[in-house]
Structures are given as structure tokens and as C-alpha cells.
Amino acid sequence: MARPSTLPPALDALLSHPAARPLLARHGRERLKEGLRASADRLRRGELSAPDGGREELTALLVEETARRLEARPPAGPRRVLNATGVLLHTNLGRAPLAEAAREAVQAAAGYCALELDLSTGERGRRSDHVRGLLLALFAPGREDLDALSVTNTAAALLLALDTAANGRPVAVSRGELVAIGGDFRVPSILARSGASLLEVGTTNRTTLEDYREALDAGAAAVLKVHPSNYRIVGFTEEVPLPGLSPLCRERGVPLLFDAGTAAPVRLALGGGQPPLPTPLDAVDSGADLVCFSGDKTLGGPQAGILLGRSDLVRRAGRNPLARALRMDKLALAALAATLDLHLSGRGEEVPFFRMLATPASELQTRARTLVSRLAPEGVAAEAVPSEATAGGGSGAGSAIPSWAVAVTSPRLSATALAGALRSRRLPVLARVAGDRLLLDLRTVDPSEDGELLDALLEAVRG
């Protein structure tokens, strides 16, 4: 039990202290009361030393301690971090960072905006029109037989496509493509939520055209092909590509859906000996009737799911009641429109993902050596080392992009502890642990962030 001299003042006395007034204005009464109670509890437990003097000094101490802890609170919502992992599309870090033009568009749309208003007529407009024309111009120029629609994310796009095409009936999917990606994206679960039933085809490693034929004979109303994203099945395998499957689907009059996962405006090489990623139009020209892909992966935009394909199917998807539940909000629409416009304007290098991908390894090496030269006088053991970055975000298994990193060791902290110290900063830094060294890969660090990275390293190493 605390001694009488260290019993905290009453809460009303703490709240009425002059130093508490600005805290009350900034943080609100309930949060301030919660903070004052926490400080009083620390005093009772002996974690705070009572000052010499009377109750006034003790009150001032508790208010000061509360102010310090309130100011140290992390901001609400996702926090900005420095990504030194070398994973360009890091799902846990929000995937693609937005271009400056996209950020400006978000800011412009944050207030009142013409989201669903045709300014020329004063009549109600359609929010999808903000990106529909841009999507078609970028991904299907000159193709009047195709249409496009955007929704909240790729899972939503697939859900909408399945509900529209199958309408509660069976959908044929190869067992080798019943993928689970990330924490909770599972193709069978999405299919079930759409109301359709799963008709598994073939085996895990082998699916033939005859397997699909048998599924259609059994009543499948649609066929779904799924890009494997972040895994590969090797060895004794067989699958039916889109060009081989499309004639059968057309013969039977059933739509062929393709979940591409990720897509870019051009065939994109991501290293690691993997073939370039096909474009959505490649998939359509290979026989897919409807293609689903993401806006926040190799397109470099905000979270979005995009449907591209046969005009009649896309129009049906747009009229589906689910489309309203899955529609994009004004901020994501603004960012997506700005990103698409950059690509169409020939300014794709302003999209951070493409800029990071295109940065020569020699530039990263120079930056790494510069950082090491600035760490050395401070007594930090560091060296510039070759590294391998990766596209990430389910954009392809085995992508390997040559890079350079700053490798840091500390006599006081293990590499794991040093990584923890960097994450706990006001501006957290994410890095990779490799044995007894911490690697900070510069391919995912913007040059403008090098100074912040240096400060973070010095602070973490010094403790």
C-alpha cells in the first residue's frame, strides 16, 4: 500500500491543474482522465518517484507524466513506415505506394467532389465513369467488344464475376488452382460466398481437357482459371491453358473466367527467370471472357479489383446488386484514376513501383556506400552488400531483382533485437534479418528517405 505522502491527488484536482487545460483541449476529457488514472497507478506501484514538496508538486508531476505519455501515443490508423525489406509490394505494408499525382488526387477528392454528378448536365452521374474510360484506354485500346468495371479489391471482383456468371450454379475449377493466398483469401471460400457450388476438376498436379469436359457434362455453368500467384507445382504436371480451354467453353456456351491476380499495362518482367507477366488483354485474346486483377499490385495504384472482358458480362456485373455493395469509395477512385492517367500519359516512371523496379543496381550500390560512410564515424559496424529484392504481393513466385543493402551488426544487440528497435521508433523501419546481420535493402527505400533511415539506424544502435 502506498504511503500517505505518495497517494495521488483526486482526479478532479488533476483535471483542474492549469497544465491539464491544453491537454483537455487536445485529447478530450475521457482520454485525459484515462491517462491521469494510469499515471496515478504508476505512482501507487512505485514506478514514479514522488517529488520533494507538497501536493502541488505531486499534481504537477502526474500531469507532466500524463502529457508525456499522451504525446508519445502513436497516431490513429495505419502509420507511415520506411520499407527496407526489399519487398516492393509488401502486403503487410499496404502494397504499392501511391504516386504523388495519386496522393494529390486523393486530397482533392477528400472534400466535396463530383463523385456521382454530371457537371455538364447537372444530372446524376455514375461513379464508375471516372475510371471506366481510362481502364479501357490503357488495357483494351480500340476494343469496342470489351468493357471494364472497378470494385473494392480482387476478391470482390472475383465474387462479383462468379455471382454474375454462375448465379448459384456449379463452377468448374482445377484442384491445382484452389489457392489460398495471404491470411484469408481462399478461392473455395470466395466461390461459396458467391452462392455458386464448387465442382473440382482433375488432380492437384494434373488437369486435362477431358476433366473439364466431364465437369461441363455434370452441369458446370462456368469455368474458372486461377493464376497461381505465389506458388508453383513442378514435376509431373499438366494443366490446360486458356487457349486450349476456350474452344470447349465456347462450344458449350459457358463463360470462361480468369483470376489473373495481378496485371500491368505491359508485359512485365520481374526477374528470377520467370516469364513476363501477361497483360489482361493477353488473357482475353487467349480466350478468357472475363478477367479479374488487382489495382494495388503491379499496376501501382490503390486497392481495387478490376473486371475486364466481354461487354455483355461486364454490363451484367455492373447491374448486379452486389456491385453496389462492392463499389469503390471516392478516395480510392481518385487515386486509381490518377494512376491510370499517369500510365496513359507515358509517365509510368512516376508510379513508385515502376520507379523502384527500374532503378539501376549501381545507383543502389552508391547510396548504400554513402550510408555506410556516414555510419562509420559514428562507430556503427556496417557494410554495403549485394542483395536480392522481390516484387512480392503475390505477383509471382520466384521473382528476384538485383539490389544493394546496408548490412548492420551491433555488439550490444542481436540482429533480431535491432530489427525490433527499428520497428519501435516513432517512424518505424522494417528490415530483414539475415543470420547475425540486419539488412536494409535500398530498392524499397526512396532516396529522399535516406536521411531518415540514417537517423533511425543511429538511434537504434545507440539505444
Side-chain angles (χ1 to χ4, degrees):
M1 183 176 177
R3 298 190 307 273
S5 59
T6 59
L7 287 174
L11 187 59
D12 286 344
L14 294 171
L15 286 168
S16 62
H17 191 276
R21 291 171 192 158
L23 300 178
L24 185 64
R26 179 169 182 177
H27 299 285
R29 186 175 182 85
E30 291 306 313
R31 183 168 288 165
L32 177 56
K33 286 168 62 177
E34 180 184 331
L36 290 168
R37 288 192 184 104
S39 297
D41 287 342
R42 293 192 68 211
L43 179 70
R44 293 188 185 97
R45 293 194 299 267
E47 296 173 11
L48 288 178
S49 299
D52 295 332
R55 305 297 283 176
E56 180 63 27
E57 289 76 11
L58 185 56
T59 300
L61 170 72
L62 292 174
V63 173
E64 180 182 337
E65 171 65 13
T66 300
R68 184 186 65 79
R69 294 174 74 85
L70 286 174
E71 291 304 315
R73 291 178 66 255
R79 296 165 61 184
R80 178 190 167 218
V81 302
L82 296 186
N83 177 12
T85 65
V87 181
L88 278 66
L89 300 172
H90 199 306
T91 300
N92 296 345
L93 303 183
R95 289 189 181 151
L98 294 179
E100 187 60 35
R103 299 181 190 206
E104 291 173 358
V106 169
Q107 185 63 36
Y112 291 119
C113 64
L115 178 63
E116 293 184 354
L117 179 69
D118 186 331
L119 292 173
S120 63
T121 65
E123 302 294 327
R124 180 167 184 167
R126 294 183 300 181
R127 70 173 64 196
S128 59
D129 287 346
H130 291 289
V131 295
R132 176 179 173 270
L134 296 169
L135 286 168
L136 289 171
L138 183 62
F139 289 107
R143 293 291 297 268
E144 295 184 1
D145 57 323
L146 303 180
D147 207 344
L149 177 69
S150 61
V151 290
T152 52
N153 57 36
T154 318
L158 180 58
L159 179 73
L160 182 60
L162 289 167
D163 185 79
T164 300
N167 194 24
R169 293 170 292 170
V171 175
V173 189
S174 169
R175 286 185 172 90
E177 297 175 3
L178 294 174
V179 300
I181 301 171
D184 53 10
F185 181 91
R186 297 171 181 266
V187 167
S189 301
I190 298 295
L191 198 148
R193 290 294 181 183
S194 75
S197 57
L198 171 63
L199 189 54
E200 297 183 21
V201 172
T203 63
T204 301
N205 61 315
R206 291 193 70 211
T207 301
T208 66
L209 186 62
E210 187 58 32
D211 293 324
Y212 284 105
R213 193 185 308 276
E214 290 176 2
L216 293 173
D217 289 341
V223 173
L224 172 64
K225 285 282 292 178
V226 182
H227 186 274
S229 292
N230 54 6
Y231 81 97
R232 293 283 184 273
I233 298 175
V234 298
F236 183 52
T237 66
E238 183 178 354
E239 66 168 319
V240 186
L242 288 171
L245 192 51
S246 175
L248 175 61
C249 291
R250 295 197 191 285
E251 173 192 324
R252 298 299 184 91
V254 300
L256 176 54
L257 314 179
F258 180 50
D259 178 8
T262 184
V266 296
R267 296 187 182 111
L268 197 60
L270 297 176
Q274 300 298 322
L277 290 174
T279 67
L281 191 57
D282 288 334
V284 170
D285 288 342
S286 294
D289 295 300
L290 203 54
V291 182
C292 308
F293 59 96
S294 176
D296 61 346
K297 293 183 181 178
T298 52
L299 180 59
Q303 178 175 292
I306 298 163
L307 291 167
L308 178 76
R310 274 173 32 196
S311 294
D312 61 318
L313 277 176
V314 174
R315 284 196 297 269
R316 282 172 53 196
R319 292 194 298 265
N320 190 318
L322 268 179
R324 181 176 179 84
L326 303 175
R327 64 184 183 178
M328 296 180 70
D329 76 287
K330 63 180 182 179
L331 302 184
L333 271 172
L336 179 58
T339 303
L340 295 169
D341 191 60
L342 285 175
H343 286 297
L344 286 166
S345 302
R347 295 160 58 196
E349 75 281 353
E350 295 182 33
V351 177
F353 171 74
F354 286 86
R355 185 170 64 243
M356 290 187 289
L357 198 62
T359 301
S362 58
E363 288 187 18
L364 303 177
Q365 181 184 27
T366 299
R367 288 172 54 203
R369 288 177 172 171
T370 298
L371 284 168
V372 168
S373 70
R374 296 176 67 183
L375 288 167
E378 304 293 335
V380 178
E383 62 176 319
V385 298
S387 179
E388 273 194 355
T390 184
S395 55
S399 68
I401 307 163
S403 187
W404 278 78
V406 176
V408 180
T409 56
S410 168
R412 188 178 61 85
L413 297 172
S414 67
T416 300
L418 186 56
L422 285 169
R423 290 195 308 273
S424 65
R425 299 184 71 255
R426 185 84 174 169
L427 174 58
V429 177
L430 282 298
R432 296 201 314 265
V433 174
D436 62 348
R437 301 192 300 180
L438 190 69
L439 298 184
L440 298 108
D441 194 309
L442 296 185
R443 188 166 288 281
T444 49
V445 179
D446 191 83
S448 65
E449 298 173 329
D450 283 357
E452 292 175 305
L453 184 62
L454 179 70
D455 292 342
L457 276 170
L458 291 174
E459 181 181 309
V461 171
R462 291 169 177 166

